[in-house]
Amino acid sequence: MGHPRSSPPTDWPGLEMTGVTRLTDDIYYGWTDGGCMPLFWHWCAALADVAEEHTVSGRWVATGTSTHTLVSRDPLHIEPSLLWSCCGLHGFVRAGQWTGS
């Protein structure tokens, strides 16, 4: 099964996510059924040369926020920042906006 950039994992059948929100073309978040913290996905440039069968979700990489503080759900604000170790993507979600650093 292919996982194209235009179809983030939060749109895949069976993931049971609600409130899927696009922060950027490469970053989405959503809420799992009954979850109190969002789950984030980003399209990882570092995986461009990795065959999809050697990845979990193609170039889409998830990160949880269980150790973060939910400051506001609407608009979304979490602390501290998010960091994907796969490629070093780093930034903040405040007032429902992604701010990369």
Side-chain angles (χ1 to χ4, degrees):
M1 172 184 180
H3 301 294
R5 183 176 183 184
S6 62
S7 178
T10 50
D11 287 344
W12 300 348
L15 194 54
E16 313 279 329
M17 304 270 310
T18 60
V20 175
T21 302
R22 177 184 159 272
L23 289 175
T24 72
D25 288 342
D26 297 331
I27 303 171
Y28 287 76
Y29 72 90
W31 305 86
T32 58
D33 189 27
C36 60
M37 293 297 290
L39 176 66
F40 286 82
W41 293 90
H42 96 285
W43 183 256
C44 185
L47 297 177
D49 296 326
V50 177
E52 186 169 344
E53 62 267 16
H54 296 288
T55 67
V56 175
S57 303
R59 288 179 58 190
W60 285 108
V61 179
T63 191
T65 54
S66 62
T67 61
H68 288 70
T69 299
L70 180 63
V71 176
S72 171
R73 187 172 173 129
D74 188 21
L76 184 63
H77 180 156
I78 62 169
E79 293 290 340
S81 61
L82 293 170
L83 173 65
W84 276 272
S85 60
C86 52
C87 61
L89 179 65
H90 175 256
F92 294 87
V93 180
R94 295 178 175 150
Q97 303 291 315
W98 172 261
T99 304
S101 60

